[in-house]
Amino acid sequence: MAGVVEFLSSLVEVESVNDPSAGRLVGFGEAEEVRRAVREHAGLDMELVENEGVPILLYMAGSGRPVTLFMAHFDVVPPGPGWRVTEPFKPVVKGGRLYGRGAADDKSNVAAISLALSGFEPSRGTVIIAFTGDEEIGGERGAGWLAGRLRSEGLWPDYVVNGDGSMGAVITRRRNVFNAIVRVRAEMADAEGVSRSVMRLGLEVRGRPTRHAAYFIPGVDSHPLLTAAALVREAGLLASSLSGEWVKSNVLPASVELEALEPGGGGHGVYDPGLTALLKSLIPLSRITPGRLLYSDYGVTATPNVYRLAEGWHEVIVDVRAMTGDPAAVDEAVARSLEESLGSRVEWEYRVTGGGGYLYTPGSAELVKLALRVNQSLGLPGEPREAAGASDSRYFSPRGSQAIDYGPLGGNVHGPDEYVEIRQLEAAVEFYKRIAEALHG
């Protein structure tokens, strides 16, 4: 299927990078390039709309119920260093793979959905295609805005087929994402009979080779800040200072350096009781269990990934992943943990943010059963799976839509030499086509 390879190559060439830290955001120029490629290769004349600076491409066919939304995103993360097979925006085909930034995440699905629905006229119901430009920075102004628009226009989707998966699998569950921001007042105190120690602790990932917090597996992977916290808590260390390779709240730090005083020496030192207490609190905080949870293969994970000392306060941001749409349940669990571990010994405060939504569609749902039958017919996995990271399905699934995520097998997503398997890319075109025909043919 040469067409899909050529189509995807033209999309990869579009440098639709979202990188807020560098002041770079996807704009109308990049969206118009994607729109032209879709028209040229798939014959779909999509509408380019805007919400708060975020471009969204829309297409609609048919009328009435059911309504099915096929969705993907055309923004990508920054290319980063280390590319060897090709340059990030110069796609190349090698060994049955197409390489380039966005080849897997997520322009493969833009191409596959467009070709699958090229010329498709529903015999019943409404088909909507939406390609958004802000998924990599949260999706609130893209898919989140789209959800509100569709509801206001009486077009709330019965089914959502979100082309933002992987492995050629039907994904039916993804956890919600919260941030617990914990602050403890910095203090200074003297200690006698101690010795100074500096420990550099590294991240060890034995599961999926990524630093994304969603994929951290407690008991398998080793988090450097939690290791430091355990040393302070169990070995009686008195923390003086903390530094590390902090990136952002959903990225595990590659290393942490802890300066502390160890008991049993003959010297004198200065330490920070506030920092010491904060570190001790991270162990129970990493094991919180909010109430009212739906089932998840991954359970709950809470990883402290960012630390800073600012204006006399130590602050840690903890990435919390849980299958719940109830922020109050997470807030209660965090508060309970901190009240027990910090109490009145130090001055502290916290807040919980996030919780935009989750993906949870039971295996008995019509869309899931259909998707699994189609996937099996293509020789692909015939059982539903849970994925660790978030996706734009979260804006629809908790509000009543039957939703799945899907996408072809690829690799090195968000890393150098990102690629998609071409045979799986071709299968994805057929997958989306058969879903549309079954629901609307």
Side-chain angles (χ1 to χ4, degrees):
M1 192 181 293
V4 70
V5 174
E6 294 171 358
F7 185 6
L8 178 55
S9 295
S10 70
L11 293 174
V12 170
E13 290 173 350
V14 180
E15 299 186 22
S16 49
V17 173
N18 267 324
D19 185 6
S21 65
R24 184 175 181 180
L25 297 173
V26 173
F28 273 75
E30 295 90 349
E32 183 58 41
E33 289 185 69
V34 172
R35 181 171 178 262
R36 283 197 298 266
V38 171
R39 185 171 57 240
E40 177 183 346
H41 291 274
L44 298 176
D45 191 10
M46 303 192 76
E47 178 187 8
L48 174 55
V49 299
E50 176 267 343
N51 177 56
E52 297 182 22
V54 171
I56 303 114
L57 296 174
L58 293 175
Y59 177 86
M60 187 181 304
S63 62
R65 294 284 168 183
V67 176
T68 301
L69 171 63
F70 289 86
M71 186 166 57
H73 67 91
F74 58 85
D75 63 319
V76 300
V77 299
W83 289 73
R84 293 182 174 84
V85 176
T86 186
E87 294 179 33
F89 301 106
K90 292 185 178 179
V92 65
V93 174
K94 185 175 182 180
R97 297 171 172 177
L98 191 154
Y99 289 85
R101 172 58 79 232
D105 183 19
D106 186 42
K107 291 176 178 178
S108 58
N109 287 298
V110 172
I113 289 172
S114 299
L115 288 177
L117 299 181
S118 176
F120 179 73
E121 293 292 338
S123 299
R124 62 181 185 276
T126 306
V127 171
I128 302 170
I129 305 173
F131 300 143
T132 61
D134 72 333
E135 193 277 341
E136 297 292 1
I137 54 173
E140 185 175 352
R141 292 173 293 163
W145 168 84
L146 177 64
R149 171 171 165 167
L150 294 179
R151 185 176 293 281
S152 69
E153 294 179 352
L155 289 170
W156 183 258
D158 302 284
Y159 310 109
V160 175
V161 180
N162 183 35
D164 194 10
S166 61
M167 306 175 291
V170 177
I171 296 170
T172 60
R173 294 193 302 265
R174 292 181 185 266
R175 295 172 296 173
N176 211 337
V177 186
F178 304 85
N179 278 336
I181 300 97
V182 183
R183 286 160 48 93
V184 175
R185 178 75 73 179
E187 302 177 31
M188 298 299 290
D190 295 322
E192 301 290 343
V194 294
S195 59
R196 179 179 175 273
S197 177
V198 177
M199 287 156 281
R200 187 171 178 83
L201 307 163
L203 172 68
E204 295 182 19
V205 177
R206 299 179 178 87
R208 183 166 176 166
T210 175
R211 288 173 60 190
H212 197 298
Y215 298 93
F216 181 81
I217 303 176
V220 176
D221 303 324
S222 178
H223 192 295
L225 186 47
L226 289 176
T227 301
L231 289 171
V232 170
R233 186 180 179 90
E234 304 302 326
L237 302 184
L238 303 174
S240 301
S241 67
L242 181 69
S243 61
E245 296 182 61
W246 322 114
V247 179
K248 57 180 181 175
S249 61
N250 65 350
V251 177
L252 306 172
S255 66
V256 165
E257 186 171 289
L258 172 66
E259 182 177 350
L261 304 179
E262 294 187 54
H268 166 271
V270 177
Y271 74 102
D272 189 321
L275 178 59
T276 302
L278 176 60
L279 287 170
K280 287 182 178 180
S281 75
L282 295 181
I283 297 300
L285 191 57
S286 71
R287 287 160 170 75
I288 59 170
T289 305
R292 303 180 290 280
L293 293 176
L294 295 170
Y295 175 78
S296 167
D297 289 345
Y298 297 99
V300 178
T301 56
T303 52
N305 300 322
V306 175
Y307 161 82
R308 67 171 186 158
L309 173 61
E311 299 179 352
W313 289 84
H314 299 286
E315 179 179 284
V316 167
I317 303 178
V318 182
D319 178 288
V320 180
R321 308 263 163 169
M323 193 70 81
T324 179
D326 185 1
V330 177
D331 191 285
E332 291 168 8
V334 171
R336 185 167 58 250
S337 176
L338 294 174
E339 286 164 1
E340 290 291 337
S341 60
L342 295 176
S344 59
R345 292 181 289 278
V346 292
E347 184 180 354
W348 59 276
E349 60 187 32
Y350 81 99
R351 68 183 189 278
V352 174
T353 64
Y358 57 89
L359 169 61
Y360 190 93
T361 306
S364 59
E366 177 186 359
L367 179 60
V368 174
K369 291 190 289 187
L370 169 62
L372 293 176
R373 289 197 302 270
V374 170
N375 226 32
Q376 281 185 306
S377 72
L378 295 170
L380 294 168
E383 65 283 338
R385 295 187 181 177
E386 179 175 343
S391 79
D392 281 344
S393 292
R394 59 184 170 170
Y395 296 107
F396 299 91
S397 176
R399 297 163 180 83
S401 296
Q402 293 185 30
I404 62 169
D405 286 359
Y406 190 82
L409 179 66
N412 299 335
V413 171
H414 290 196
D417 295 328
E418 178 181 350
Y419 68 87
V420 64
E421 298 282 355
I422 293 174
R423 289 183 62 184
Q424 286 255 338
L425 176 63
E426 295 168 347
V429 176
E430 190 64 24
F431 175 87
Y432 295 127
K433 181 179 180 180
R434 294 186 189 182
I435 293 291
E437 290 174 343
L439 294 174
H440 298 278

